[in-house]
Amino acid sequence: MSNTIEKIKCLIIGSGPAGYTAAIYAARANMNPVLYQGMQPGGQLTTTNEVENFPGYVDGVTGPEMMIQLQEQAKRFGADIRDGWATKVDFSGDIHKVWINDTIELHCETVIISTGASAKYLGLPSEQHYLNMGGGVSACAVCDGFFYRNQDVVIVGAGDSACEEAHYLSKLCKKVTMLVRSEKFRASKIMEERVRKTENIEILMNHDTVEVLGDNNVVHAIKALNKTTGETIEIPATGFFVAIGHKPNTDIFKDYITLDETGYIVNTPGTSKTNVEGIFVAGDAADHVYRQAITAAGTGCMAALDAERYLASKE
């Protein structure tokens, strides 16, 4: 551990639209924010090739380009953007303690948590290849479904989110094939009935994804295994959507911050406040419903404003 303790008025843990927006607002309010970018600077959007639904970008923008612009905007107002990630916290006392990379100890008046959530993937080498290529694998139908209009796609998942995304895709795509890995849905009955009644959704129960097929650049088909018969089939598709859940990046906070049963931070409704005074949350670390760049940015604004008001109340 470092012998030097740095005192910080406003610490932002994590980047992405939530963290960078919080940094912009906090910097403009003379809170001298320090932002540590985390293990994936820019967050999930850095894996997105095209962002077309963020207001103000008439011709769209790539995810990485958008994150660079947000970062530079925060820097312009004086935000201190740093490499590194939080590895330990202690929110038990009046001083909020955070350790960066296990070596740097920070004592913070306020902390904004914007660590986000990570999409779960199947872990297939071919899936990861086309995900990294931006060639047809996605974990967000709302974000990327538009690019597959009038095309055939495959979605894997069995919960409410998977059903919701399959239904969303059915309005855009020619055909949606839904692979359910077991013999029954995990979704609520009403969501299951919705996809079953949608004409252009074909549901294949008890099917595992074996491989994502393509020309090394873009997806052409999905190879799936019928676990009942042992038969392997190839499903023509230009897009493969993985809807098996997200994991919020909140493990280091669980001893101090109230989390729900799936690990998302519980905030006071209508605010960014957590159960600990002076600790605020923004973005997907608390949002398991919308998970959009624009909503994350909005909660980043809220967190900075809440932190500013908290500091003013202590003066």
Side-chain angles (χ1 to χ4, degrees), residues 2-296:
S2 169
N3 293 324
T4 304
I5 296 173
E6 184 178 0
K7 294 183 179 180
I8 292 175
K9 182 180 285 189
C10 178
L11 174 69
I12 302 167
I13 305 175
S15 45
Y20 287 137
T21 302
I24 291 167
Y25 273 80
R28 284 171 56 85
N30 294 325
M31 294 164 65
N32 305 316
V34 173
L35 181 150
Y36 277 94
Q37 293 178 302
M39 297 184 71
Q40 187 178 11
Q44 291 186 76
L45 271 187
T46 57
T47 65
T48 302
N49 271 7
E50 293 292 332
V51 180
E52 292 191 332
N53 55 4
F54 197 97
Y57 291 97
V58 178
D59 300 316
V61 63
T62 69
E65 182 183 2
M66 182 180 171
M67 290 305 97
I68 290 170
Q69 290 177 2
L70 284 178
Q71 177 181 313
E72 291 305 310
Q73 188 175 358
K75 284 183 177 179
R76 176 189 162 204
F77 295 116
D80 186 349
I81 311 294
R82 303 178 183 178
D83 294 329
W85 56 92
T87 50
K88 177 185 173 185
V89 300
D90 182 354
F91 297 155
S92 61
D94 292 336
I95 298 173
H96 307 312
K97 300 177 182 178
V98 178
W99 284 264
I100 303 297
N101 300 350
D102 290 322
T103 59
I104 302 168
E105 183 176 349
L106 310 176
H107 287 187
C108 314
E109 294 181 53
T110 60
V111 177
I112 295 174
I113 299 169
S114 57
T115 48
S118 300
K120 296 178 182 177
Y121 290 96
L122 300 175
L124 300 170
S126 55
E127 169 202 56
Q128 294 302 303
H129 170 77
Y130 288 105
L131 173 66
N132 294 330
M133 290 288 294
V137 173
S138 172
C140 182
V142 175
C143 308
D144 299 326
F146 182 82
F147 301 112
Y148 300 92
R149 287 173 300 168
N150 301 317
Q151 300 176 45
D152 293 347
V153 299
V154 172
I155 183 169
V156 58
D160 279 347
S161 292
C163 290
E164 189 173 328
E165 296 216 333
H167 189 254
Y168 178 86
L169 289 169
S170 72
K171 298 175 183 178
L172 300 170
C173 302
K174 187 170 148 187
K175 180 182 178 183
V176 179
T177 302
M178 192 171 188
L179 300 180
V180 178
R181 295 181 290 174
S182 63
E183 296 177 349
K184 61 182 181 179
F185 279 89
R186 289 185 293 101
S188 58
K189 286 295 180 184
I190 190 169
M191 293 301 294
E192 179 181 346
E193 284 303 309
R194 183 177 295 174
V195 294
R196 287 192 181 280
K197 289 178 180 178
T198 304
E199 288 186 4
N200 64 332
I201 297 179
E202 181 181 4
I203 301 167
L204 300 179
M205 305 298 293
N206 217 26
H207 276 69
D208 273 342
T209 305
V210 176
E211 188 177 0
V212 179
L213 304 173
D215 64 0
N216 208 42
N217 291 312
V218 295
V219 173
H220 288 167
I222 305 301
K223 183 185 289 187
L225 171 68
N226 184 327
K227 294 194 288 185
T228 303
T229 65
E231 179 188 8
T232 300
I233 59 172
E234 289 188 11
I235 307 164
T238 54
F240 180 59
F241 290 85
V242 185
I244 58 175
H246 287 71
K247 184 184 186 307
N249 304 317
T250 58
D251 287 350
I252 65 169
F253 309 113
K254 62 184 178 183
D255 291 336
Y256 307 98
I257 301 294
T258 301
L259 309 178
D260 70 11
E261 65 276 4
T262 53
Y264 287 91
I265 292 174
V266 177
N267 58 294
T268 302
T271 78
S272 66
K273 298 174 184 177
T274 69
N275 60 297
V276 178
E277 274 201 1
I279 308 294
F280 307 91
V281 62
D284 289 8
D287 176 17
H288 56 84
V289 178
Y290 300 104
R291 295 197 299 263
Q292 298 299 300
I294 188 65
T295 51

